[in-house]
Amino acid sequence: MKKILVVDFGGQYSQLIARRVRECRVYSELIPYDTPVAEIKAAAPAGLIFSGGPRSVNESDAPAVDPEIFSLGIPILGICYGLQLMAKLRGGKVARLDLAEYGGRPLSVIEPGGLFEGVPAETACWMSHGDSVVEAPPGFVVTATSPHMPVAAMADRSCGLYGVQFHPEVRHTEYGQDILKNFLYTVCDIAPTWTPVSIIEESVERIQAQVGDERVVCGLSGGVDSAVAALLTYKAVGDQLTCIFVDHGLMRKDEGAEVESTFRRHFHVPLVHVRAQERFVGKLAGVTEPEAKRKIIGEEFIRTFEDESHKLGKAKFLVQGTLYPDIIESGTKTAAVIKSHHNVGGLPDDVDFDLVEPLRMLFKDEVRVVGEELGLPESLVWRQPFPGPGLAIRIIGEVTWERLDILREADAIILDEVKRAGLYRQLWQSFAVLPAIRSVGVMGDERTYAYPIVVRAVTSDDAMTADWARLPYDLLERISQRVINEVPGVNRVVLDVSSKPPSTIEWE
Ligand code: XMP
């Protein structure tokens, strides 16, 4: 499979570049900037993209690549910092001009063709930079300029080297996707063949190669990721697979029964439903620290799978629906640990399984498309994400049966009202959070001292960033009235109006 490697210099849009390339039906992966050239050569990408980054190439310890990379004969597109680095390493000049450019800017194409095939001479692009290339390196021609920038784009076509100061991956760049396509399809000569069908075929082959004739168990959560991972594995190894659904008592209202009935209806894979409510909630008694909760739940999941696997006759492999953002957010070379997701960083060290993670290089929207291709029902494909540690990370402070009941009831009302308002699919997630404080209220002339419920609703493409959803006031009013009237122990409803970053979607 021909692929593009995005060399990540820590830019805020690095992820987005990889996604945009994939939207052009070309597989792409992020790699850290210090990946050795020999490793890049061995991966044999059809093209490289250097991402943007927050530093200046003129700082002595600025992230750089080994200039050897230019002798591989692989086409390279440098974006923003990537362009500046290419300019500097090839003998051009980069300097801080008086005028930094941020936001939408006009772009004048002066050398049509190449990256700019089909792009008008005057167009709009998105800039975000302090430094500028003030002199293109020998062998390069300047292909576009902007009002304050002598070099908004440059190219050395004979060496397959291209650079743009603006961000083609950002929607505000009018012809951004066309520019990327020109790089992929013409410069790198890749055909757009990375489709849901090809993803399925490749995953099935990879799972077969990994698993051989061993037994496999798959943890089903009821969400689209684990369902797709299970179906891919079933396609690959058939009855060697048993699915295990662990009800840890931290599920939403009626969720356990719903998950079981959906799977029995749509899957012909053997399914074991483990009722482990007491086991998990018992282990969480007295625990208030978020990372401690996550680690306990991660460990208990694995121990439960091990127990069940022994009953079934010992499986060697455990399938998980881990996604690409889970891998990145759980701490890689370039990303700090924000939260230990239970299916990645929250795993204990001594896991008695080898992991099969067929979705580890995919984003959620890609998994949904694969799910549709596999014939999963719409209700499952478009189910809002629900975290592995469940309601435990939405109850701030101690998890108790009483507090679980309060949160479950409030959450069910929020989801019900969001669905009635026709907003369920537009929202990435919408749910309730139970803080560890109480406040005074008055109900039926009596003083109350009870919990508030936080309404958390966000829009997002991939959970890496998110915005708080502007829910209509009448919807908020219905949620507030119903939660306060129908959920004992709650006397106040508040709205979370924080985006990610700086907040996260979940509260813990
Ligand atoms: P945060 O709170 O980090 O969440 O902004 C990003 C997305 O990930 C989900 N999430 C998890 N999913 N296991 C999961 O499978 C986890 O431990 C976990 N923690 C958060 C969260 O619901 C959101 O969609």
Side-chain angles (χ1 to χ4, degrees):
M1 177 176 56
K2 286 192 170 181
K3 66 180 167 210
I4 294 287
L5 294 180
V6 178
V7 182
D8 182 11
F9 292 98
Q12 56 173 327
Y13 300 129
S14 303
Q15 283 273 336
L16 193 58
I17 300 172
R19 289 172 55 81
R20 292 283 183 255
V21 172
R22 289 168 176 221
E23 284 170 17
C24 300
R25 301 231 173 276
V26 171
Y27 180 67
S28 75
E29 262 175 48
L30 279 179
I31 57 169
Y33 69 86
D34 57 355
T35 306
V37 173
E39 238 177 75
I40 295 176
K41 189 176 175 189
L48 294 168
I49 299 181
F50 291 177
S51 82
R55 305 283 298 277
S56 162
V57 293
N58 290 326
E59 290 167 19
S60 58
D61 59 345
V65 284
D66 184 341
E68 187 59 26
I69 204 162
F70 296 111
S71 61
L72 297 179
I74 300 171
I76 303 178
L77 169 63
I79 295 176
C80 196
Y81 182 91
L83 157 98
Q84 294 162 10
L85 186 66
M86 182 185 281
K88 178 156 182 170
L89 293 176
R90 300 293 285 184
K93 268 204 193 120
V94 177
R96 182 143 302 209
L97 299 179
D98 286 345
L99 277 164
E101 288 182 303
Y102 297 103
R105 306 292 298 158
L107 183 79
S108 305
V109 176
I110 51 176
E111 282 284 332
L115 285 191
F116 296 117
E117 186 63 47
V119 178
E122 299 295 328
T123 177
C125 69
W126 185 262
M127 297 273 193
S128 176
H129 65 109
D131 282 358
S132 302
V133 175
V134 290
E135 203 179 296
F140 280 75
V141 290
V142 176
T143 53
T145 58
S146 74
H148 305 297
M149 291 259 318
V151 187
M154 63 179 197
D156 177 347
R157 290 192 193 171
S158 63
C159 293
L161 300 180
Y162 296 79
V164 291
Q165 180 56 69
F166 58 90
H167 288 272
E169 71 278 19
V170 170
R171 292 273 186 238
H172 299 81
T173 296
E174 263 178 352
Y175 286 81
Q177 202 70 349
D178 300 84
I179 292 167
L180 283 179
K181 282 181 180 167
N182 287 334
F183 178 68
L184 302 172
Y185 304 160
T186 310
V187 176
C188 302
D189 194 24
I190 313 182
T193 52
W194 192 67
T195 60
V197 174
S198 76
I199 298 174
I200 293 170
E201 285 167 359
E202 276 153 28
S203 306
V204 166
E205 274 172 31
R206 216 169 312 121
I207 297 168
Q208 282 167 339
Q210 185 184 1
V211 168
D213 51 13
E214 297 286 345
R215 287 195 60 79
V216 194
V217 290
C218 174
L220 282 184
S221 69
V224 62
D225 308 337
S226 57
V228 170
L231 273 194
L232 289 172
T233 309
Y234 189 65
K235 255 180 159 340
V237 298
D239 287 343
Q240 286 162 245
L241 171 71
T242 304
C243 287
I244 301 177
F245 166 56
V246 178
D247 185 342
H248 49 18
L250 310 165
M251 309 295 281
R252 288 165 294 185
K253 193 174 178 185
D254 302 328
E255 196 166 19
E258 275 169 20
V259 171
E260 172 152 11
S261 76
T262 307
F263 280 92
R264 297 235 186 264
R265 225 176 314 128
H266 295 283
F267 287 71
H268 304 289
V269 188
L271 171 67
V272 179
H273 182 160
V274 186
R275 290 170 177 80
Q277 291 93 328
E278 302 285 343
R279 175 174 182 162
F280 279 79
V281 178
K283 284 266 176 184
L284 289 169
V287 181
T288 55
E289 209 279 312
E291 278 296 289
K293 286 184 190 173
R294 284 174 168 276
K295 292 264 151 77
I296 288 169
I297 294 166
E299 160 123 35
E300 258 347 87
F301 258 114
I302 292 296
R303 301 295 166 238
T304 311
F305 288 135
E306 284 168 359
D307 294 350
E308 294 305 314
S309 144
H310 280 116
K311 286 186 208 158
L312 295 166
K314 183 84 184 79
K316 179 164 192 268
F317 292 99
L318 173 69
V319 182
Q320 294 212 112
T322 315
L323 300 185
Y324 201 26
D326 301 338
I327 305 267
I328 293 163
E329 291 221 334
S330 282
T332 58
K333 241 185 208 169
T334 44
V337 176
I338 312 291
K339 297 177 185 181
S340 308
H341 281 199
H342 94 267
N343 49 5
V344 187
L347 286 183
D349 296 331
D350 56 331
V351 179
D352 200 11
F353 292 107
D354 289 351
L355 295 181
V356 178
E357 297 181 316
L359 315 178
R360 63 181 285 125
M361 297 316 287
L362 298 183
F363 292 96
K364 188 99 181 178
D365 48 353
E366 296 165 346
V367 172
R368 285 188 161 136
V369 176
V370 171
E372 278 172 345
E373 184 66 37
L374 288 167
L376 286 177
E378 195 202 334
S379 60
L380 186 53
V381 169
W382 289 101
R383 196 168 176 267
Q384 291 179 356
F386 185 62
L391 300 182
I393 56 168
R394 295 178 180 171
I395 292 180
I396 313 310
E398 191 182 3
V399 176
T400 62
W401 293 109
E402 182 213 354
R403 301 189 76 207
L404 276 167
D405 283 342
I406 292 175
L407 182 58
R408 247 193 280 275
E409 290 303 321
D411 189 73
I413 291 170
I414 292 174
L415 273 185
D416 182 45
E417 289 297 336
V418 164
K419 283 181 183 165
R420 280 171 199 257
L423 293 175
Y424 183 78
R425 245 177 94 157
Q426 287 173 40
L427 299 174
W428 176 264
Q429 278 170 293
S430 45
F431 57 87
V433 177
L434 179 61
I437 50 166
R438 285 185 286 172
S439 72
V440 174
V442 55
M443 265 179 179
D445 299 332
E446 294 284 339
R447 176 186 192 270
T448 58
Y449 188 53
Y451 291 115
I453 280 290
V454 179
V455 178
R456 179 69 164 147
V458 296
T459 53
S460 176
D461 283 331
D462 55 14
M464 301 292 289
T465 59
D467 196 8
W468 60 277
R470 275 51 169 181
L471 298 180
Y473 277 171
D474 56 344
L475 169 62
L476 289 170
E477 184 183 350
R478 278 194 303 277
I479 288 174
S480 166
Q481 277 184 351
R482 281 193 59 195
V483 169
I484 292 171
N485 283 300
E486 296 175 31
V487 186
V490 176
N491 66 354
R492 195 177 290 272
V493 170
V494 301
L495 181 66
D496 182 346
V497 290
S498 332
S499 59
K500 172 185 180 176
S503 301
T504 52
I505 297 174
E506 305 289 345
W507 272 41
E508 289 192 338

